[in-house]
Amino acid sequence: MTSYIPYTELHGFIISQIATGSTFAVCEHDSSEQIFIPSQLARMQNLVPGDRIMVRAIPNRREGGAKWFAVFAAPAEVKSVEVKPAGSQLAEALANLAVAAASEPAPEPTPTPEPEPAPKPSVDWFARAKGALVKLGDVATSAEIADECGTTTQFISFYLRALHHRGEICRAGVRSKSDQQKDSLVYWGSTLDDLIPAGIVGDK
């Protein structure tokens, strides 16, 4: 079932607009209350900074954002006070109200929100694993490489096996018994020469 959120009708002034078209305004009744206007609404009504607007807004649930989220926005006419001929106490009172309103300082605009920082690039774990191997002297176990990369042995082993499959690093497995199905210890090397001790020649 769709829940209905009642809107609140507000008047305000547009104070800023970013390149995407998203627009920000402040309420007339309280300049500390900011209104966010989606770019589609702003473009539809040709809204620009300085415009006085009427909006229908709902509370903005985004933490740290504007207090109000506009679901409708349109330019609002600035209403002028009609002063009746002198001699009427009512006309004099209205004129005094108009003068007082004109002398009030304009609300201070809320600072434009700073753009959100760009997302950090993803980690190239293949390059990181190879770099850790070189830093460790071109020969290391999976656990040593994982510690150098700041991750787990199980996680980094996936990238080490892929690098070995691609022929970019070498692997040496050590088994304590001939009937073992799994290596007791695995060493990784940047090259085959790094894994073979000096003076040992392999079978021809």
Side-chain angles (χ1 to χ4, degrees), residues 94-118:
L94 289 174
N96 290 335
L97 285 174
V99 171
S103 63
E104 289 183 359
E108 295 183 3
T110 303
T112 304
E114 294 184 2
E116 295 182 0

Side-chain angles (χ1 to χ4, degrees), residues 43 46 55 62 69 83-84 102 108 123 131 148 179 185 196 204:
R43 284 195 292 266
N46 295 320
V55 301
R62 181 179 178 184
F69 183 96
V83 181
K84 294 183 179 180
E108 295 183 3
V123 177
E148 183 65 30
D179 58 349
L185 191 62
I196 301 175
K204 299 292 185 182

Side-chain angles (χ1 to χ4, degrees), residues 133 138-140 145 168-172 187-192 194-195:
L133 180 57
D138 294 317
V139 176
I145 296 172
E168 296 185 34
I169 61 174
C170 297
R171 177 185 184 279
Y187 283 93
W188 303 95
S190 296
T191 66
L192 186 59
D194 295 320
L195 291 171

Side-chain angles (χ1 to χ4, degrees), residues 4 20 27 37 56 80 85 88 105 149 159 197:
Y4 172 73
T20 60
C27 295
I37 304 169
R56 292 173 183 168
S80 58
S88 167
C149 291
Y159 294 93

Side-chain angles (χ1 to χ4, degrees), residues 11-134:
H11 286 79
F13 293 92
I14 295 177
I15 60 168
S16 64
Q17 192 172 65
I18 61 177
T20 60
S22 296
T23 302
F24 298 87
V26 291
C27 295
E28 278 188 349
H29 69 275
D30 186 347
S31 62
S32 67
E33 293 187 7
Q34 199 171 59
I35 308 166
F36 173 75
I37 304 169
S39 56
Q40 301 93 322
L41 290 179
R43 284 195 292 266
M44 189 183 303
Q45 297 292 345
N46 295 320
L47 301 178
V48 296
D51 285 352
R52 181 176 184 268
I53 55 170
M54 183 279 289
V55 301
R56 292 173 183 168
I58 59 176
N60 188 5
R61 296 182 179 177
R62 181 179 178 184
E63 186 177 349
K67 179 176 181 178
W68 300 100
F69 183 96
V71 296
F72 172 83
E77 294 292 335
V78 179
K79 296 181 180 179
S80 58
V81 178
E82 181 181 356
V83 181
K84 294 183 179 180
S88 167
Q89 292 183 351
L90 177 60
E92 185 178 353
L94 289 174
N96 290 335
L97 285 174
V99 171
S103 63
E104 289 183 359
E108 295 183 3
T110 303
T112 304
E114 294 184 2
E116 295 182 0
K120 294 182 179 179
S122 56
V123 177
D124 184 349
W125 286 104
F126 290 104
R128 193 161 182 175
K130 289 180 69 175
L133 180 57
V134 172

